[in-house]
Amino acid sequence: MEKVRLGIIGVGNMGSSHLRNYLDGKLPEIEVTAVADPKPDRLAWAKEQLPSLTTFEDDTALMTSGLVDAVLIATPHYFHPPLVIEALNHGLHVMSEKPAGVYTKQVREMNEVADKSDKIFAIMFNQRTNCLYRKAYELVHSGEFGALKRVTWIITDWYRTQAYYNSGGWRATWSGEGGGVLLNQCPHQLDLWQWICGMPSKITAVCHEGKWHRIEVEDDVMIYAEYPNGATGTFITTTGDFPGTNRLEITLDRAKLICEGGELIVTELERGTQDNTDHSEQGFDRIPNKTYKAELDGRNEQHVEVLNKFAGAILHGTPLTAKGQEGINGLMISNAAFLSSWLGKTVELPVDEDLYYEKLQEKIQNSTFRKEVKEQVNQDMSSTY
Amino acid sequence: MEKVRLGIIGVGNMGSSHLRNYLDGKLPEIEVTAVADPKPDRLAWAKEQLPSLTTFEDDTALMTSGLVDAVLIATPHYFHPPLVIEALNHGLHVMSEKPAGVYTKQVREMNEVADKSDKIFAIMFNQRTNCLYRKAYELVHSGEFGALKRVTWIITDWYRTQAYYNSGGWRATWSGEGGGVLLNQCPHQLDLWQWICGMPSKITAVCHEGKWHRIEVEDDVMIYAEYPNGATGTFITTTGDFPGTNRLEITLDRAKLICEGGELIVTELERGTQDNTDHSEQGFDRIPNKTYKAELDGRNEQHVEVLNKFAGAILHGTPLTAKGQEGINGLMISNAAFLSSWLGKTVELPVDEDLYYEKLQEKIQNSTFRKEVKEQVNQDMSSTY
């Protein structure tokens, strides 16, 4: 085949944005042939954009239509795993939007199906295409600067108003999204965090529900992570602060990296900190070092690159931006954060997935919150990717 | 009296440094007349610097000598409260080095004596004289920018080698210091934190003991604070990182302040964040704002200013840099952090002082750690104030 025939499942905010990228000619090896959405007005909108599209109200009908080789799943979060499983079982390649799902039990089942499938399974971790984070990944993984000691990410530049939360009935509910800032805004950072720094073994977190908004889920969170090698990490996020901060600091044995304002500042040490700590005869010693701005290649193609690499993996066997199975890692951190906060204690990873599922169901069943909804599709999502 | 006749109790690293400031002519309203130290070589050193000094091996003898109006207590931490109490009871004015003590139970008893005394009781919170923190205090307390929402202090630029810890037998032991980075390096930041942002009502913390050094006390800490108004704070510190970071970020309803590298950057919003969150019709709204460098007066006189204000309070009734009774606040935060970490749960403030005392005694009694000691007095302490 020359092009991948793609069906988009869900043409709300994200699905529409992907369709627009296609219409703008940015996906040369993809042909969008079909879309599915339960809302007739969304299908009408899509058809208006691209009259050649076949539209479906039913996802299964799209998958079995013979019109697609692959699907892009851009539905609310809970539907990602069952739709991925269904698509793989229909012999289709799948790209899932983030997050991988809402709870790891469901995502692990999805991964088990994907592991047995010979189809390509990818996830939309478009922030991994950002030259800033690619460079940080490269520096940490080069091994040149030794082991991770500490990571601190203040990621509070997610300001959202009450109107945002009122714009969709599923938004910021336990039954609709299964969480707030950790499930909607932070999946990229949670993924980058684990991608660059590896998976922690313990999580201690405090998640505040409805602190700044009339919502039932968390909008203010502190996560403290402990790694198998003794390193530690802190992740601070909210949708309540303006203008907020996005500052990622990583301390390695022989370097410190700071990602902020689109720059990566590196302080490189002449010798390892721990070796110096152990052997120096000076109590207040300093280690010779140099600080410089890392050279970045400037590429930051986001969704377009992820989709083009998805097509490349299908057509030419070239590497993906992120394998679908990797989506469980960032989700595991957020599930652990909720569980730690709800139980009021440190939890170990892998998270107890049955206990988490049970606690989430309690949240859903005990929910008495009634949203004021004022639907808005096609808001400007440019700051939410 | 024209000058305050001052006795220095303890001429180790800090006491010697105060004596040098006096000899350099920086304390015009103070006359150092006496010193006390149990170590004859330290007394000999002091006498060499200033032959007019009367020296005492015994603290009480100094206090009752009639040679002093006031004492400066620069002993190991545990002795601060009993010596303050004794000095006040002898009718002397007292300046205590930081921390106020090791556990709040002891410090509360000291404060009760001070409350009943008509003598001046001050504490060496010299970082309050730094124009950077004075400006932050002024901006937060002006009320102009609304309530505190969030504070994050990464204060990891306390690099110490093993040689530092080996330099004194009392250092970094439960019996000698009652803690590590929180009791020795951080009392200033813990004080500035509460001075600028007020006292939290809950603390969740993880304190790692001997993570980067062969010591029995904590050298790597994360403290999460919750305030009565719903604001939150995170404080990250260690003596194991090089070069480390000192970055204090404070988010108010109408401003964000960042203190780093000797500068205070202010982002001032045109309207309050919460009001905008509640009433904006835009989901992804932005609040008009301006960012600028705050003008600082450049004054940063540290110990010299604190001692001159101490003399001023005694001679002229002018204000102190910090009343001695305020020392309990930062100490309460560190006591709560230990207790939270030892119990593995969030603790409420005021801390249960009997429980903390009991747990600290357990730490002391169960200590099996044997230090390798190589005494060093008169290290360069310039980075440790």
Side-chain angles (χ1 to χ4, degrees), chain A residues 149-150 159 161-162 208 211-212 220 224 226 230 240-242 244-245 249 256 274 276-277 282 287, chain B residues 149-150 159 161-162 208 211-212 220 224 226 230 240-242 244-245 249 256 274 276-277 282 287:
Chain A
K149 296 185 69 173
R150 185 181 318 283
Y159 181 59
T161 65
Q162 186 63 37
H208 296 277
K211 182 184 279 294
W212 310 108
D220 197 302
Y224 183 68
E226 296 174 68
D241 286 7
F242 187 86
T245 293
E249 176 173 319
K256 182 169 97 165
Q274 193 59 51
N276 195 72
T277 301
Q282 301 304 315
I287 303 171
Chain B
K149 296 186 69 173
R150 186 181 317 283
Y159 182 59
T161 64
Q162 187 63 39
H208 296 277
K211 182 185 278 296
W212 310 108
D220 197 303
Y224 183 68
E226 297 174 66
D241 287 6
F242 187 85
T245 293
E249 176 174 320
K256 182 169 98 167
Q274 193 60 49
N276 194 72
T277 301
Q282 302 302 316
I287 303 171

Side-chain angles (χ1 to χ4, degrees), chain A residues 203-312:
Chain A
I203 293 285
T204 311
V206 183
C207 304
H208 296 277
E209 297 166 2
K211 182 184 279 294
W212 310 108
H213 306 90
R214 295 185 301 280
I215 55 175
E216 65 181 7
V217 297
E218 86 292 353
D219 59 359
D220 197 302
V221 171
M222 187 285 301
I223 302 177
Y224 183 68
E226 296 174 68
Y227 292 84
N229 79 337
T232 60
T234 308
F235 186 96
I236 297 167
T237 192
T238 185
T239 54
D241 286 7
F242 187 86
T245 293
N246 183 354
R247 183 180 192 276
L248 169 62
E249 176 173 319
I250 299 173
T251 305
L252 304 167
D253 186 54
R254 293 215 316 117
K256 182 169 97 165
L257 317 180
I258 296 176
C259 298
E260 190 173 12
E263 290 182 347
L264 198 171
I265 308 296
V266 182
T267 299
E268 198 179 315
L269 308 185
E270 266 186 27
R271 47 180 186 274
T273 306
Q274 193 59 51
D275 183 57
N276 195 72
T277 301
D278 293 343
H279 300 111
S280 168
E281 295 187 357
Q282 301 304 315
F284 297 89
D285 204 10
R286 297 183 58 78
I287 303 171
N289 62 85
K290 57 179 178 187
T291 294
Y292 56 90
K293 208 182 284 185
E295 222 173 283
L296 307 178
D297 64 22
R299 270 200 308 120
N300 184 10
E301 296 180 13
Q302 297 287 325
H303 305 84
V304 165
E305 179 171 325
V306 178
L307 282 170
N308 285 330
K309 287 199 166 174
F310 178 54

